[in-house]
Amino acid sequence: MCQRDASNVQFRRKELPHAAAATHPSNGMILTQCAVCATDLGLSLGKKCGRCSTRYCGPECQKQHWEQGGHDKLCKLIKKAGGAEQYNANKKYAEAVAVAAEKCAADTKGQTCYICTQALHWKTKEGLVRMCACRGTAGFAHVSCLAEQAKILLEEAEENNLGQEAMQSRWERWHTCSLCEQHYHGVVFCALGWACWKTYVGRPEADTARMSAMRLLGNGLGEAKLHEAALSVQETELAMKRRIGVPESEMLLVQTCLANSHARLGRDEQASNMLRNVYYGRVRLNGEQHQQTILAALNYANALLNFKRFEEGKSLLIKMIPVARRVLGISNEITLTMRWNYARALYEDEGATLVDLREAVATMEETERTARRVLGDAHPLTVDIERALQNVRAALAVRDGAAPA
Ligand SMILES: [Zn+2]
Ligand SMILES: [Zn+2]
Ligand SMILES: [Zn+2]
Ligand SMILES: [Zn+2]
């Protein structure tokens, strides 16, 4: 089977009309190139297979694909899978699971899945993963088992009309470990993002689960550091939601994700402008004492620091950290991340004094201890603080040595 076929399966334009145009085929979920020659088709150029919606630049490529590219055999399969879009999601899912299992291989060796009790998945033969705060022999699972569990829980809630709150708490199974109650991270989050997207992609565009799945996929791609891919998913999401007309709060969420992707790609100015708007939007919409406002403040402050606007970032954090402690608690991931950013603001500023550096170290030591206890040793926050702590301690030692006490 031709490799090219699968990786270039297109989304149908009808369903995703505002998708970003320039997306590399290996990057994301919205693919806009000819399945044969990889000519960029944007959103509307070219030709589609009438059966499966695979896209081509024109009749020559389509003919060649059918006669020599194996599309004569694959077309039926794609159609059977639910069309090009669904087929692409399934394919990307399988790839993401393989990446996740591979990445976790050393950690999961000799373990079994806590859901199906096997080492290898009975059907997919995939290996185990674990990227949460679970320790010892707890928390090893197959992505497929985690996904199946989440899917069934959601179906049950939908069928029995269990209401918004039950839906929301069950939805968490797509991104949060039920054992340690912490977010999955890295490539495991990404694999679950694809699992979720492939589960709900066939639903109508305005379906809540489908929209949430698109968000999760964007976040998952970001977690796996595929930021361009994340951005293209998020731009599609934003355009789609703008067209459908969703509540303001929803728009602010998408803009946040989008801005964070810009920030990760080094587009600090774009990111900080968007995040500033989101923060003030949240203050207006939710008030200051709201989790979403606190999170918006954290994101905006983080962008300011990346942009080396330390004073503004610091003063926003000084204002919002006490609010986070009160509303979310001192061990909450958001509170911890805010304190970590405050420490960053202290030591990354070139004008940092000895007093600033000492305060930075004290803040980081305390935050790191809590992060390690609550989020686990392998959590990105724990790892980041630990690394920074070594640097600041070294800088402090130099300055302490240079300056007489
Ligand atoms: Zn072509
Ligand atoms: Zn076809
Ligand atoms: Zn399993
Ligand atoms: Zn866990």
Side-chain angles (χ1 to χ4, degrees):
M1 199 183 298
C2 172
Q3 275 269 299
R4 183 130 229 160
D5 288 324
S7 65
N8 278 321
V9 172
Q10 306 292 329
F11 275 88
R12 279 161 295 190
R13 183 175 175 257
K14 197 175 88 209
E15 286 162 20
L16 296 168
H18 298 282
T23 305
H24 190 271
S26 64
N27 260 345
M29 64 165 198
I30 302 130
L31 309 166
T32 54
Q33 297 177 328
C34 170
V36 176
C37 68
T39 296
D40 204 343
L41 303 174
L43 291 166
S44 53
L45 299 174
K47 210 173 171 318
K48 273 193 305 192
C49 172
R51 286 165 291 261
C52 74
S53 302
T54 296
R55 290 180 67 189
Y56 305 98
C57 63
E60 289 91 70
C61 274
Q62 186 175 15
K63 188 160 175 283
Q64 195 204 326
H65 207 216
W66 185 268
E67 288 169 0
Q68 289 145 43
H71 194 72
D72 56 333
K73 292 175 194 77
L74 201 59
C75 184
K76 225 185 217 163
L77 238 126
I78 298 173
K79 187 173 189 287
K80 203 173 147 206
E85 192 171 24
Q86 181 73 57
Y87 184 85
N88 181 56
N90 297 351
K91 177 85 189 164
K92 292 283 188 185
Y93 166 70
E95 287 168 11
V97 169
V99 169
E102 169 74 34
K103 180 103 186 181
C104 296
D107 186 33
T108 60
K109 205 169 168 215
Q111 305 292 338
T112 52
C113 174
Y114 76 87
I115 299 168
C116 73
T117 74
Q118 303 297 307
L120 275 186
H121 190 269
W122 65 278
K123 194 172 163 195
T124 65
K125 307 294 177 215
E126 75 200 57
L128 296 162
V129 299
R130 185 175 73 171
M131 280 195 187
C132 51
C134 281
R135 269 161 257 217
T137 56
F140 293 105
H142 298 112
V143 176
S144 292
C145 289
L146 294 171
E148 189 63 18
Q149 205 175 48
K151 185 182 153 192
I152 291 170
L153 281 168
L154 259 296
E155 265 168 16
E156 210 178 71
E158 283 181 327
E159 275 164 23
N160 301 312
N161 281 318
L162 296 186
Q164 191 57 29
E165 213 168 292
M167 288 292 287
Q168 211 132 46
S169 80
R170 287 173 182 224
W171 183 264
E172 285 188 4
R173 292 292 74 84
W174 282 112
H175 55 69
T176 299
C177 174
S178 64
L179 305 176
C180 66
E181 289 296 335
Q182 296 299 326
H183 267 274
Y184 299 109
H185 37 94
V187 287
V188 171
F189 193 136
C190 184
L192 280 162
W194 279 114
C196 185
W197 177 242
K198 120 182 146 74
T199 303
Y200 302 110
V201 64
R203 294 190 176 192
E205 194 182 56
D207 179 88
T208 312
R210 190 186 190 273
M211 285 201 280
S212 308
M214 196 183 257
R215 156 86 40 78
L216 203 72
L217 177 58
N219 291 345
L221 291 164
E223 271 281 326
K225 301 202 178 353
L226 302 167
H227 301 306
E228 289 286 359
L231 198 67
S232 95
V233 172
Q234 287 151 352
E235 275 167 352
T236 308
E237 188 189 353
L238 188 68
M240 183 188 82
K241 287 186 170 165
R242 199 167 271 153
R243 186 161 42 78
I244 292 174
V246 299
E248 174 66 10
S249 151
E250 202 37 53
M251 292 304 284
L252 291 174
L253 276 178
V254 195
Q255 282 169 46
T256 304
C257 297
L258 197 58
N260 285 337
S261 291
H262 279 303
R264 288 180 190 128
L265 288 163
R267 295 166 202 154
D268 294 329
E269 184 162 15
Q270 219 162 337
S272 66
N273 285 340
M274 284 184 97
L275 290 169
R276 181 178 185 280
N277 290 341
V278 172
Y279 171 62
Y280 287 107
R282 279 295 172 196
V283 172
R284 268 196 312 275
L285 192 69
N286 305 102
E288 228 164 49
Q289 314 276 322
H290 191 279
Q291 176 168 350
Q292 291 299 343
T293 310
I294 298 166
L295 192 56
L298 167 61
N299 286 324
Y300 179 37
N302 188 41
L304 287 170
L305 300 190
N306 289 342
F307 212 28
K308 303 212 176 300
R309 284 157 63 176
F310 296 111
E311 285 311 315
E312 287 164 88
K314 233 179 350 192
S315 69
L316 180 58
L317 287 166
I318 288 171
K319 184 171 119 189
M320 293 305 282
I321 287 171
V323 181
R325 287 182 138 165
R326 202 163 52 239
V327 177
L328 307 172
I330 52 167
S331 316
N332 182 278
E333 189 178 339
I334 297 170
T335 312
L336 289 169
T337 311
M338 285 180 115
R339 298 201 62 210
W340 151 235
N341 271 285
Y342 177 68
R344 251 187 76 197
L346 286 172
Y347 84 82
E348 279 185 10
D349 190 343
E350 274 160 18
T353 63
L354 266 177
V355 176
D356 289 337
L357 289 183
R358 288 201 186 102
E359 191 186 350
V361 169
T363 306
M364 278 194 269
E365 281 171 345
E366 198 198 318
T367 315
E368 193 221 8
R369 264 197 306 277
T370 315
R372 201 175 287 286
R373 176 170 53 79
V374 182
L375 307 169
D377 294 345
H379 192 279
L381 184 61
T382 315
V383 176
D384 282 352
I385 302 175
E386 194 180 58
R387 194 178 305 136
L389 201 46
Q390 284 170 5
N391 293 338
V392 191
R393 277 187 188 132
L396 197 57
V398 171
R399 300 256 306 242
D400 268 341

